[in-house]
Amino acid sequence: MSSWSQIRTVIRREIGIWIKRPIYVVGSLLTIVFCTVFFLTFLKDGLPSDLPIGVVDLDHSTFSRNFTAQLDATQLGEVIQYDDFASARSAMQKGEITSFCLIPENMYADVQAGRQPTMTFYVNGLYFVGGALAWKDLLTMTNLTGGAIKRQVLRAKGMNETQMQGLLRPVDIDTHQIGNMMTDYGVYLTNSLLPGILEMIVILIVVYSLGTELKYGTSRHLLEKSGMSITRALAGKLIVYTLYFSVIGIIMMLILYHWMHFPMQGSIWNMFLAIVLLVLASEGVAVFIIGLLPVLRFAVSVSAIYSILGFSLAGFTLPVETMMPWLQGLAAAFPLRHYYLFFVQESLFGAGFAGWWTQVIWLLAFLLPPLAVLPRLKNAYIYQNYAKN
């Protein structure tokens, strides 16, 4: 029997396993569909709006009432007023608000007298997104209020608008938010989270598929179908998974860049290439893990930890360049990091091949580590001398 015939036999065997155990298809597909629908609907408005922001107004002046009204009028904030500091702190501890602002007594009188009063913010940093946005909203409104007061003082001194503009804002900032002009959190997160979830599912499913051959004692039957070749056995099994997950990934790209119209400066065909390479790299990682640890429960645990770390070290939440040097090197050991760099160069900058060819090499490099553990995996499949439970 030729090598290709043996691979086809393994492919038919794997499809038969899928029919008997639909968990492979149903579990992975439902997870991807749920995550896609969740993130696209949860973040459909771009930025969160009407975040509850507390205000403790001890001044009760026209100035403080105007500040509170302006803060409530912003898109991000919805003001909840409290009578004293203790009640606002209690509300923050209960999670009813993510931040609050304390306007001190006699603040307007101090402003008029030039005594520079202090307005205090309290922000719950445990709510990363809500706290950061509330802090930004409070800081923006305070700066605008300070500018308005200074403008009134300068106008009272007889300055015209042109003279006041130079004193109020000596440097004019021209901001260009490349690739995400509206600061849409859906664009910011979904482009990386969904491929990361796909990577995690690929690693877990492939590790589980290869590990169950040991757990249920069917590994020798698999090798017999492949002519006792571990290479052909893996090729037959992984062809099925590669095609399946690549189709899912391509549909995901179509949803993001064609249906949802996420920013795409380059070509969607190149993003198809990126997602297929991510699937291949994830399969390479899965084979390496199960070959290194041919015990199902250990391999699945390591796969889960590895996949979760990939989200932290990909660089889309915290720039890798700001991490410690050893973490910067460790980030290269995760396929999601290289997919993210590919995505930035192609989708945001439209750099083309010149921008992401190195990431292609990195993703293909993940196919090399499995070669080192193939003999160990083959011995495990033949002798089945590892714990099954």
Side-chain angles (χ1 to χ4, degrees), residues 239-381:
I239 283 175
V240 179
Y241 291 102
T242 302
L243 292 175
Y244 173 64
F245 287 116
S246 294
V247 169
I248 291 178
I250 289 172
I251 293 174
M252 184 188 299
M253 295 296 101
L254 287 172
I255 292 174
L256 293 178
Y257 302 116
H258 181 70
W259 184 39
M260 297 300 296
H261 302 289
F262 278 19
M264 172 56 67
Q265 300 298 323
S267 170
I268 193 173
W269 290 96
N270 290 334
M271 293 306 300
F272 291 165
L273 171 64
I275 203 70
V276 171
L277 290 174
L278 178 65
V279 170
L280 291 173
S282 302
E283 290 175 348
V285 171
V287 174
F288 179 75
I289 292 174
I290 192 63
L292 195 64
L293 298 169
V295 180
L296 181 59
R297 67 175 183 273
F298 291 156
V300 170
S301 299
V302 171
S303 300
I305 295 172
Y306 175 89
S307 301
I308 294 300
L309 284 175
F311 287 95
S312 302
L313 295 175
F316 61 90
T317 53
L318 178 68
V320 172
E321 293 76 14
T322 63
M323 299 179 185
M324 290 179 287
W326 67 273
L327 280 177
Q328 295 182 29
L330 183 62
F334 296 87
L336 187 58
R337 167 62 179 168
H338 305 289
Y339 171 85
Y340 172 71
L341 294 176
F342 190 117
F343 150 74
V344 170
Q345 293 296 327
E346 182 63 29
S347 178
L348 302 185
F349 297 145
F353 180 78
W356 45 254
W357 68 271
T358 54
Q359 307 312 318
V360 172
I361 295 176
W362 272 105
L363 289 169
L364 291 175
F366 283 95
L367 302 179
L368 299 178
L371 300 178
V373 298
L374 287 184
R376 178 179 173 85
L377 182 60
K378 182 176 181 180
N379 289 333
Y381 271 20

Side-chain angles (χ1 to χ4, degrees), residues 21 27 58 60 63 93 115 118 131 154 169 202 217 230 234 241 243 263 281 293 309 316 342 346 368 378:
R21 300 175 192 164
L58 303 179
H60 303 292
F63 167 80
Q93 291 173 340
R115 287 192 287 265
T118 300
L154 294 176
R169 191 168 62 178
V202 171
I230 188 65
L234 289 177
Y241 291 102
L243 292 175
L293 298 169
L309 284 175
F316 61 90
F342 190 117
E346 182 63 29
L368 299 178
K378 182 176 181 180

Side-chain angles (χ1 to χ4, degrees), residues 29 60 80 98-99 123 160 180 182 189 195 222 238 240 269 313 332 343 353 360 372:
L29 185 59
H60 303 292
I80 301 176
T98 58
S99 62
V123 180
N160 57 39
N180 193 2
M182 302 303 294
L189 291 174
L222 171 63
L238 294 182
V240 179
W269 290 96
L313 295 175
F343 150 74
F353 180 78
V360 172

Side-chain angles (χ1 to χ4, degrees), residues 53-55 63-64 66-72 74 99-104 107 111 116-123 133-151 168:
I53 299 176
V55 172
F63 167 80
S64 62
N66 181 65
F67 174 83
T68 302
Q70 293 294 331
L71 182 62
D72 188 55
T74 61
S99 62
F100 69 91
C101 170
L102 178 63
I103 303 176
M107 181 172 179
V111 168
Q116 195 177 16
T118 300
M119 185 181 294
T120 309
F121 301 158
Y122 295 87
V123 180
L133 291 177
W135 160 256
K136 177 183 177 182
D137 208 27
L138 284 168
L139 187 62
T140 300
M141 286 308 305
T142 304
N143 290 333
L144 291 175
T145 302
I149 294 172
K150 189 174 181 180
R151 185 175 185 175
L168 292 174

Side-chain angles (χ1 to χ4, degrees), residues 13-43:
R13 177 182 180 274
E14 190 64 24
I15 294 175
I17 292 175
W18 280 25
I19 295 174
K20 294 178 181 178
R21 300 175 192 164
I23 181 79
Y24 292 100
V25 178
V26 175
S28 57
L29 185 59
L30 286 181
T31 302
I32 288 291
V33 170
F34 171 80
C35 291
T36 302
V37 173
F38 175 79
F39 284 111
L40 291 180
T41 53
F42 180 69
L43 300 172

